[in-house]
Amino acid sequence: MRLLVVNVNTTDAMTQTIAAQARAVAAAGTEIVGLTPAFGAPSVEGNFESYLAAVAVMECVRAYAGPYDAVIQAGFGEHGREGLQELLTVPVVDITEAAASVAMFLGRSYSVITTLDRAVPLIEDRLKLAGLDARCASVRASGLAVLDLEESPVQACEAIVAQARRAVDEDRAEVLCLGCGGMAGLDEQVRLATGVPVVDGVTAAVAVAESLVRLGLKTSKIRTYAPPLPKVLQHWPPAGA
Amino acid sequence: MRLLVVNVNTTDAMTQTIAAQARAVAAAGTEIVGLTPAFGAPSVEGNFESYLAAVAVMECVRAYAGPYDAVIQAGFGEHGREGLQELLTVPVVDITEAAASVAMFLGRSYSVITTLDRAVPLIEDRLKLAGLDARCASVRASGLAVLDLEESPVQACEAIVAQARRAVDEDRAEVLCLGCGGMAGLDEQVRLATGVPVVDGVTAAVAVAESLVRLGLKTSKIRTYAPPLPKVLQHWPPAGA
Amino acid sequence: MRLLVVNVNTTDAMTQTIAAQARAVAAAGTEIVGLTPAFGAPSVEGNFESYLAAVAVMECVRAYAGPYDAVIQAGFGEHGREGLQELLTVPVVDITEAAASVAMFLGRSYSVITTLDRAVPLIEDRLKLAGLDARCASVRASGLAVLDLEESPVQACEAIVAQARRAVDEDRAEVLCLGCGGMAGLDEQVRLATGVPVVDGVTAAVAVAESLVRLGLKTSKIRTYAPPLPKVLQHWPPAGA
Amino acid sequence: MRLLVVNVNTTDAMTQTIAAQARAVAAAGTEIVGLTPAFGAPSVEGNFESYLAAVAVMECVRAYAGPYDAVIQAGFGEHGREGLQELLTVPVVDITEAAASVAMFLGRSYSVITTLDRAVPLIEDRLKLAGLDARCASVRASGLAVLDLEESPVQACEAIVAQARRAVDEDRAEVLCLGCGGMAGLDEQVRLATGVPVVDGVTAAVAVAESLVRLGLKTSKIRTYAPPLPKVLQHWPPAGA
Amino acid sequence: MRLLVVNVNTTDAMTQTIAAQARAVAAAGTEIVGLTPAFGAPSVEGNFESYLAAVAVMECVRAYAGPYDAVIQAGFGEHGREGLQELLTVPVVDITEAAASVAMFLGRSYSVITTLDRAVPLIEDRLKLAGLDARCASVRASGLAVLDLEESPVQACEAIVAQARRAVDEDRAEVLCLGCGGMAGLDEQVRLATGVPVVDGVTAAVAVAESLVRLGLKTSKIRTYAPPLPKVLQHWPPAGA
Amino acid sequence: MRLLVVNVNTTDAMTQTIAAQARAVAAAGTEIVGLTPAFGAPSVEGNFESYLAAVAVMECVRAYAGPYDAVIQAGFGEHGREGLQELLTVPVVDITEAAASVAMFLGRSYSVITTLDRAVPLIEDRLKLAGLDARCASVRASGLAVLDLEESPVQACEAIVAQARRAVDEDRAEVLCLGCGGMAGLDEQVRLATGVPVVDGVTAAVAVAESLVRLGLKTSKIRTYAPPLPKVLQHWPPAGA
């Protein structure tokens, strides 16, 4: 099967990192195609950039010509999943929801460790709308920006581990989720430092997407995610997108 | 003061209707400026179109040159309010939240009567994230599309009244909200048919926006709605937007 | 229009302070009438006094002869709003709900800073019943009694600012509400000290009440707030009330 | 021990009915003292009358000279319990909460059958504030006024049974609570008609109050129910109350 | 009347302690029969042991020949109450629910002080399913195992008091529940140390059970707690149980 | 990898059906081992039988000698998953939670169609404790017993489809879950009849378990699911179990 793994920002290097992370866990016979949106922010941190990413991801998928079996939206806490589900019949898996869903099989409560403080409300909002918040112990910010993760990996890891420990000790989290597509590869370090299972959103999403495809399940089109009504959009999509 | 009232679709006639509705209740000295997005759908019905509207509204406001005191997002149940709040310091008022907020001063519970069934989940999601859902008795759909409201006003009104009556009788709503920017002017008819107060989102939003401006209150910039970090966006905004 | 602003305690000086606060934001053409209950406690701190205030406020309004367009109950966290809504058809605005409602347009979460610790449960109860608690980050007490606010304004302000800072830093409040009718005038100081918008209940209630009147909206009489059935009350109201 | 059972209305005959109901289940050695408020409504139906009842009940208890071990507030869904708890150290038991609390030991969900439709919101509010609403399947109104219960007992019973059946069949209630102090004695008929346990608030409250007294438990005075601060009340209580 | 008080572990000495605690508050004429399960763990700490206790308690009651009027399950936070309710028509009272239910009549919020940290989730789960969690301020662990309570009573009491103080000061609990059947007799010490009412689950359950019996109330058999369908169980109960 | 799929009842034929259903979706290289408990009920319908199944399943797994990578508890709405998680380090997947978790990726809301009415509360309780209830539209019973599914497959299917249609039309479910391990193979028929995706718990659980194993994730042992303390159990397990 072929899975589209769509980055939410325009930084191609991050797309490659995410796709590699996805390939590392993909089953034999699963092809991972990493996609980078044609427009938007080089990193997504906040609602304005996230809404922009939502439409950029949708156009990116609409512009992809070949067949595919499922789509993974590889932004943690970002807008847009509902729109993709309208556009497609194949399953759409948001890494935020995949991480939370997997975490809930491993312990009674989970925390998310993310980047900037301003990402916390976005993640909380996504979890609430997804109905996955009841067992969320906390969403904590390391204070590092998305792009710091690649530039200062050692400090990034230390800051993440520090919050991870507080999540376990103070918030009683029993499982941790890494709340940024760019944290790929840190899960083992955080697990060793805290002693609790650590879920990476991208790899969780690959497993979920593969499961849905293998089970032959598709998005329900009966109401919320029915296809858009046929309409002539004005000046959209933008030329070159 | 000057209020920008931003339509979420690209239909200029609807912008004019909304702006007229706003002017009808604006205080002396309040100037209403109606804005139509440069791109998007002629009517917004569903998540894909709503996400597109979110960014179109943001670009529309960013492209507006003159000064203004507050912005009203005139789409019921649409995405995007959080992004506008990041971009601006003046108050941003979503008509969904304004309607619910005003309704809650008038009765113990309220229902929303909207257009298509597929709009119901969007409105429910907005009310839940806004924390205004606890007293929402129901969100009901009349089954008519947004543009039917202008084309078949009599049937539209009948369908809306039918659901309004069920909201009052079956769901125990004590107040009704008209859940579409295009339902302007129907409030009196629905009130007469049901005997309960009817809140129109656009006029409620004008009153709320004027209140915030007069009280000298602005959006909190301390965390969730802090301005976007300075970044170079890729291929955005689209040429001509 | 004429708004009745009803103090909940019997201290006429506080009525004057509240009425002045209301007049400072009232629109041209809005007359503010301050009313003091004929019986009750000189300051309302706790459930017994609050229940007494509820009936005293109702009798105070019933005894007022002239016409008026809306009533503001100027006690933060006090009982009685539902009873007033039964007695009247004009809008009734409780300052607790007005403050919370306005705050929710300005930031993702708000905290209330009140006087004594024992006021906290009352405020929490009012917000819960009003369905306005989902985005309430905390209700914090400064530890000062209502009348301390007038007698020791400097210390009062310091104690309030101290709790306001904790609300922002520890509870992640993005907006603050001053939770006592007697805190009028402190909003600017608290805003400067914390950097977040500060909502005063009395001024918020004036804006809300004016909005409802201008929009022609009245209390729903269909069920919860239907007028009391015609009955002969025993020994009530008390002579002289 | 001596229990004060305080009616919320001024109808002495109803006080006698309630007291007799209480005596029928009181343990040997428990004295039941029925009290009727000195002012208020002959039946309490709605928020205005209920707030008035709240203060009338408090004054009634304050005016009672002798010793007593606990107080039962015998109004279903009425205001005031928190105020009584401030005034007293002995336990205060509201019949609404006693009925719900007992019902929850008997089945997975319970419904309340009350009198007029306008009583439903009051009961729902009390249960929500008491944190006893999670297992409440519904609050249903028979449509009969409080005083109809004594005047037309046969029709009253039929109307109550009709709603009781719907609660069991449609709302999946497994236990029923009679939601009016004046429904004393109907429990057996409703039980026979529906096949589920029926809880009468007054008798439940007697059992709860006796239990608290026997266990030596008193109201916590540490915060919410601390005694009122010493103050000179203005023109209160009314002469003759 | 005769009440069966069933210990959840196989330690007969603890059964005796619990039964003595029950007898100390039982009414004249109430016979307390303490029962010890025939199989299971000497102390119940965790889900595996708790599930085992659930079936052991059920078999223990099924094996009891004589008549009885109600059953008390004397394990705090343990599984099994729903199963007992299916098997019996007489009331079944779980000490967790009895403690919480009684505590809610005494203050606005309560905390539970239990033994090991791993007991906290079990207690939280029981309170949530019972719909008694809304006013639960916290469940805190003293860190001592069940059997430490008998072996090191002084240290146990100190550790319990330390957490009790934090519950009152930090979590704003107004009432405390002792969250282990083996904490019998510590209530007075904890009350003196904290100044708030302390509820012991076993004695609370005796009072609740006696109340239900005296009121003539039995478990609803209409749906959830209907008797098991007639079936031939395989290899159950175990020989000698 | 090897997955243990444990039936909750003692009917070996049902174990075979469940195991075949699991094998039909298992990946190449996944071995499915079906296990039948040594004691308990031939079908599990109600809390007593479910608690018994919980311990029977635990003993069944404890008695299994060989290595395995994950355990699937194949009872819908049954007790016991938390206990298994304590006993094991490999992942434990309950089919109730697997079905709900998978359904939530496919539509905005889901309903469960189960067997007898008395199973509804058990399923609701499991979903609530698992924090997977927020998007559950309803749990509906077909009225057929577990063993009817094999004996009268045509009528069973009709009864299930009838409730499935009501879930979609009346409860607004967008996805359906088959709420009994014995409904294996009906998913396609229900999907065709309703037009919405249908999730079978057993196959969903296989996909989830395989995913967890492939991702190298295990149960968190830090608190709730820490191994039982070393103790000598009394008369347990039963001889021959």
Side-chain angles (χ1 to χ4, degrees), chain E residues 13-75:
Chain E
M14 193 169 288
T15 306
Q16 301 316 318
T17 304
I18 291 168
Q21 177 84 344
R23 280 182 201 109
V25 299
T30 297
E31 178 191 2
I32 300 292
V33 175
L35 296 180
T36 307
F39 56 92
S43 65
V44 176
E45 291 157 322
N47 275 288
F48 166 66
E49 294 165 7
S50 181
Y51 274 118
L52 187 49
V55 296
V57 165
M58 288 185 233
E59 293 312 318
C60 183
V61 172
R62 293 216 293 176
Y64 182 79
Y68 50 90
D69 297 287
V71 173
I72 292 171
Q73 176 174 312

Side-chain angles (χ1 to χ4, degrees), chain C:
Chain C
M1 74 182 76
R2 181 185 290 167
L3 305 183
L4 303 189
V5 179
V6 194
N7 186 7
V8 293
N9 63 44
T10 58
T11 303
D12 196 64
M14 192 168 288
T15 306
Q16 300 316 318
T17 303
I18 291 168
Q21 177 83 343
R23 279 182 202 111
V25 299
T30 297
E31 178 191 2
I32 300 292
V33 175
L35 295 180
T36 307
F39 58 90
S43 64
V44 175
E45 292 158 321
N47 274 290
F48 166 66
E49 294 165 8
S50 181
Y51 274 119
L52 186 49
V55 297
V57 165
M58 288 185 233
E59 293 312 318
C60 183
V61 172
R62 293 216 294 174
Y64 182 78
Y68 50 88
D69 297 287
V71 172
I72 292 170
Q73 175 173 314
F76 211 97
E78 308 309 349
H79 291 282
R81 185 259 300 156
E82 308 98 317
L84 273 173
Q85 285 181 296
E86 280 182 15
L87 294 173
L88 310 176
T89 54
V90 300
V92 175
V93 180
D94 177 283
I95 65 171
T96 325
E97 298 172 30
S101 177
V102 164
M104 287 162 72
F105 284 105
L106 303 172
R108 187 167 177 269
S109 61
Y110 69 92
S111 284
V112 176
I113 313 299
T114 187
T115 52
L116 297 182
D117 193 42
R118 70 183 301 162
V120 172
L122 279 127
I123 294 171
E124 290 177 345
D125 281 1
R126 295 292 83 65
L127 293 174
K128 174 175 279 191
L129 280 189
L132 295 168
D133 55 331
R135 287 162 65 191
C136 181
S138 59
V139 181
R140 284 182 168 270
S142 69
L144 292 166
V146 172
L147 298 180
D148 290 337
L149 297 172
E150 301 230 345
E151 286 166 21
S152 315
V154 174
Q155 285 138 286
C157 189
E158 278 173 11
I160 290 165
V161 164
Q163 292 300 320
R165 286 205 176 103
R166 293 187 62 186
V168 172
D169 293 344
E170 299 174 22
D171 310 331
R172 297 176 68 87
E174 302 190 0
V175 185
L176 296 167
C177 296
L178 298 183
C180 174
M183 288 182 184
L186 292 180
D187 47 353
E188 184 64 7
Q189 286 168 272
V190 178
R191 186 184 68 77
L192 288 172
T194 60
V196 303
V198 178
V199 178
D200 168 75
V202 173
T203 54
V206 170
V208 169
E210 287 184 339
S211 295
L212 298 175
V213 173
R214 267 177 45 209
L215 294 173
L217 294 165
K218 293 184 190 301
T219 297
S220 178
K221 306 306 285 186
I222 202 169
R223 182 173 296 115
T224 308
Y225 305 125
L229 300 177
K231 291 179 189 174
V232 179
L233 301 184
Q234 303 298 307
H235 301 110
W236 193 261

Side-chain angles (χ1 to χ4, degrees), chain C residues 10 38-40 42-43 45-49 51-52 80 82 86 117-118 121 223-224 226-227 231 233-236, chain D residues 10 38-40 43 45-49 51-52 58 80 82 86 117-118 121 223-224 226-227 231 233-236:
Chain C
T10 58
F39 58 90
S43 64
E45 292 158 321
N47 274 290
F48 166 66
E49 294 165 8
Y51 274 119
L52 186 49
E82 308 98 317
E86 280 182 15
D117 193 42
R118 70 183 301 162
R223 182 173 296 115
T224 308
K231 291 179 189 174
L233 301 184
Q234 303 298 307
H235 301 110
W236 193 261
Chain D
T10 58
F39 56 92
S43 65
E45 291 159 321
N47 274 288
F48 166 66
E49 293 165 7
Y51 274 119
L52 186 50
M58 289 185 231
E82 309 97 315
E86 281 182 16
D117 192 43
R118 69 184 301 163
R223 184 173 293 118
T224 307
K231 291 178 190 174
L233 300 183
Q234 304 298 306
H235 301 112
W236 193 260

Side-chain angles (χ1 to χ4, degrees), chain D residues 162-209:
Chain D
Q163 293 299 319
R165 286 204 176 105
R166 294 186 61 186
V168 172
D169 293 343
E170 299 175 22
D171 310 332
R172 297 177 67 87
E174 303 189 358
V175 185
L176 296 167
C177 295
L178 298 183
C180 175
M183 289 182 184
L186 294 179
D187 46 354
E188 184 64 8
Q189 287 168 271
V190 178
R191 186 183 69 77
L192 287 173
T194 60
V196 303
V198 177
V199 180
D200 168 76
V202 173
T203 54
V206 170
V208 169

Side-chain angles (χ1 to χ4, degrees), chain F residues 85-97:
Chain F
Q85 285 181 298
E86 280 182 15
L87 293 174
L88 309 176
T89 54
V90 299
V92 176
V93 179
D94 177 284
I95 65 170
T96 326
E97 298 173 29

Side-chain angles (χ1 to χ4, degrees), chain A residues 96-183:
Chain A
T96 325
E97 298 172 29
S101 177
V102 164
M104 288 162 71
F105 284 104
L106 304 172
R108 188 168 178 268
S109 60
Y110 69 92
S111 284
V112 177
I113 314 297
T114 188
T115 51
L116 298 182
D117 192 42
R118 69 184 301 161
V120 173
L122 279 128
I123 294 171
E124 290 177 346
D125 282 1
R126 296 292 83 66
L127 293 173
K128 174 176 279 191
L129 280 189
L132 295 169
D133 56 331
R135 286 161 65 191
C136 180
S138 59
V139 181
R140 284 182 168 271
S142 69
L144 292 166
V146 172
L147 297 180
D148 290 337
L149 297 173
E150 301 231 346
E151 287 167 18
S152 314
V154 175
Q155 285 137 286
C157 190
E158 278 173 13
I160 290 164
V161 163
Q163 292 299 320
R165 286 204 176 103
R166 293 187 62 186
V168 172
D169 294 343
E170 300 175 23
D171 310 331
R172 297 176 66 88
E174 302 190 0
V175 185
L176 296 167
C177 296
L178 297 184
C180 174
M183 288 181 183

